[in-house]
Structure formats: C-alpha cells, structure tokens
Amino acid sequence: MLKGKTALVTGSTSGIGLGIALALARQGANIVLNGFGDFEGPKAQVSGLGVKVGYHGADMGKPADIEDMMKYAAAQFGRVDILVNNAGIQHVAPVEDFPPERWDAILAINLTSAFHTSRLALPAMKKADWGRIINVASVHGLVASAHKSAYVAAKHGLVGLTKVTALETATTGVTCNAICPGWVLTPLVQKQVDARAAANGVSNEEAKKQLLAEKEPSLQFTTPEELGELAVFFCSDAAKNVRGVAWNMDGGWAAQ
C-alpha cells in the first residue's frame, strides 16, 4: 500500500516507534529511523522487510539537529511522505518538586520537536498533495495523572497541535491525526514498573498488574504492533477524511 512512500519515525530505535516503523515497512514504505542507543539492530529488522532504511541520530530537543535530520531525509529519499512524531521522555514528581530543567526537556522533546518536524515536512507534502502526519500523544493528552505535569502538558499540547495542523491542511491531501495509547510496555514504562516493584516489595509481574488495575479496565497492555496497525490505517485511503482526531487505544482508560 505504501510502496514508494518514505516514513520518518522519531524515537524509533525501540518501543512504540519501532513498532510503527515496522508496520509501515511491511506496507512497503522506506523508513528513516531516529533515536539513541543501538540502531543497527532496528535497521536490520526494518531492512529485512525489503525496504530502504536510513538512520539519523538527531537529539529531538535541539532544533538544529531536527533541521539536519529533515535535510538528510530529503536528500536520501526525496521527501518525507509520512511523519510520525513519537520521540518522548518522562519524569515523575509533584509540581512543587519538579525540576525546571526536566520540564523544559520534556516540553522540548515531547511537543516542540513535533512543531519543528511538521513545519519542515509540510511544504513538500502540500506540493505533492499527499502526506500523513501522525503524532503519538498519549491517553495523557486527554486526561491527567498526578505527578506527571510536564508529560501531561506536553501531550495535551500535542493533541492541540494535531488539531491546528489538521485544520490548516483540511482542503489538501495531507492529514494530521494523533494516537493516544494507554499503558504500553515500552522501556519507559518498564522503568515505572521496576520502581513500583522495588517500592512496594512485590514481583515485577505483580507490579504490572497493579499498574494496569489503577487505570486500564482491560487489564492489558496495548502493544507496539497494535499501534503500528493504527498508523497504517491513518495512511490508507479509507482514512483520507479522518482529520484532527485524537484516537485513544487505551483499554477503556479514558472511558471511565
């Protein structure tokens, strides 16, 4: 379905981003990966699906890095047809104890980076009259949890940016939508599980059950593969008039 298209997925060397990159690659899209840590393994996984794959190690908190990444993608692949803004970090603390530098970093990576990638990708998408911007927000873009002020603020902001971008492209072949997952067992969430297990003196499995029981009625983690298939749907012709939605895949979390 996506043969000849190029998808750039930020924060895609593991977790949700890699799951989305693999799902798009299975549909024939060439992929530009981004992220820290091991990238050769993910590159091999994606290229094993028979598509071209590139990698750029841009720090998504740095606008100059983002500009360089977008130039790299255009030089290597022509243009970015599908932009998936997935990069994100987390810090948990009450507002009065929240380190200002962590607030700034979370807003920069979880929200501002999506503004920069979008503003740089949109001209070529509009010229081609086809494009997909998919912002990976969170159920925390729809509802809040205590001790996550920066993350919740950034994800609410990302949902807002999604709506504005959708309105500005409403009469074109470019769409913009947000995916709002509940708990996904990514490395980021595994750290929270580990901390809970240590604090409560319980096993890792029990800590997972406790985490899910607090928020997610299905008592199941959403998987990167499921989120990848939703991204594929957003790229399909069936979704060409799906614009500005914040689609929660959260096991019933926001329905409560």
Side-chain angles (χ1 to χ4, degrees):
M1 184 180 80
L2 299 175
K3 195 167 179 61
K5 307 290 189 191
T6 295
L8 187 156
V9 187
T10 69
S12 51
T13 50
S14 68
I16 293 170
L18 181 56
I20 292 174
L22 290 167
L24 295 174
R26 287 187 197 101
Q27 294 296 326
N30 300 319
I31 303 292
V32 179
L33 296 170
N34 156 262
F36 296 137
D38 168 49
F39 62 87
E40 291 297 348
K43 266 184 84 173
Q45 275 185 270
V46 175
S47 63
L49 295 170
V51 300
K52 295 177 185 173
V53 57
Y55 168 80
H56 194 287
D59 179 338
M60 298 308 292
K62 297 178 178 176
D65 278 24
I66 294 170
E67 291 207 20
D68 192 64
M69 177 182 68
M70 298 304 286
K71 286 176 183 173
Y72 163 84
Q76 294 292 315
F77 296 95
R79 72 168 180 272
V80 174
D81 301 286
I82 301 159
L83 170 64
V84 182
N85 290 307
N86 169 72
I89 59 171
Q90 175 66 288
H91 184 82
V92 179
V95 171
E96 67 270 25
D97 298 327
F98 213 96
E101 66 276 9
R102 298 308 297 157
W103 171 278
D104 290 343
I106 289 169
L107 267 288
I109 292 171
N110 295 24
L111 174 58
T112 305
S113 70
F115 159 72
H116 287 301
T117 54
S118 296
R119 71 177 177 83
L120 294 165
L122 277 167
M125 288 181 176
K126 285 182 174 179
K127 188 175 180 182
D129 200 34
W130 197 95
R132 296 290 186 267
I133 298 176
I134 301 169
N135 294 322
V136 180
S138 166
V139 67
H140 282 118
L142 305 171
V143 297
S145 290
H147 299 166
K148 296 183 178 180
S149 55
Y151 190 83
V152 170
K155 294 301 188 179
H156 271 68
L158 191 55
V159 169
L161 176 63
T162 299
K163 292 176 180 180
V164 172
T165 306
L167 292 177
E168 292 182 1
T169 55
T171 59
T172 75
V174 180
T175 71
C176 182
N177 293 291
I179 296 175
C180 299
W183 288 124
V184 184
L185 198 57
T186 61
L188 203 66
V189 170
Q190 186 60 54
K191 285 183 184 177
Q192 294 182 52
V193 171
D194 294 343
R196 178 183 286 259
N200 296 351
V202 297
S203 69
N204 217 267
E205 284 306 306
E206 182 58 31
K208 287 176 187 174
K209 288 177 185 174
Q210 289 178 8
L211 192 75
L212 288 166
E214 283 180 9
K215 300 282 189 179
E216 195 142 348
S218 68
L219 302 180
Q220 297 175 50
F221 288 102
T222 301
T223 68
E225 291 75 20
E226 289 164 351
L227 296 167
E229 291 305 315
L230 180 54
V232 168
F233 167 70
F234 281 151
C235 294
S236 72
D237 284 344
K240 66 184 178 184
N241 209 31
V242 177
R243 297 171 183 268
V245 306
W247 192 311
N248 44 314
M249 191 179 276
D250 62 1
W253 184 329
Q256 298 175 95

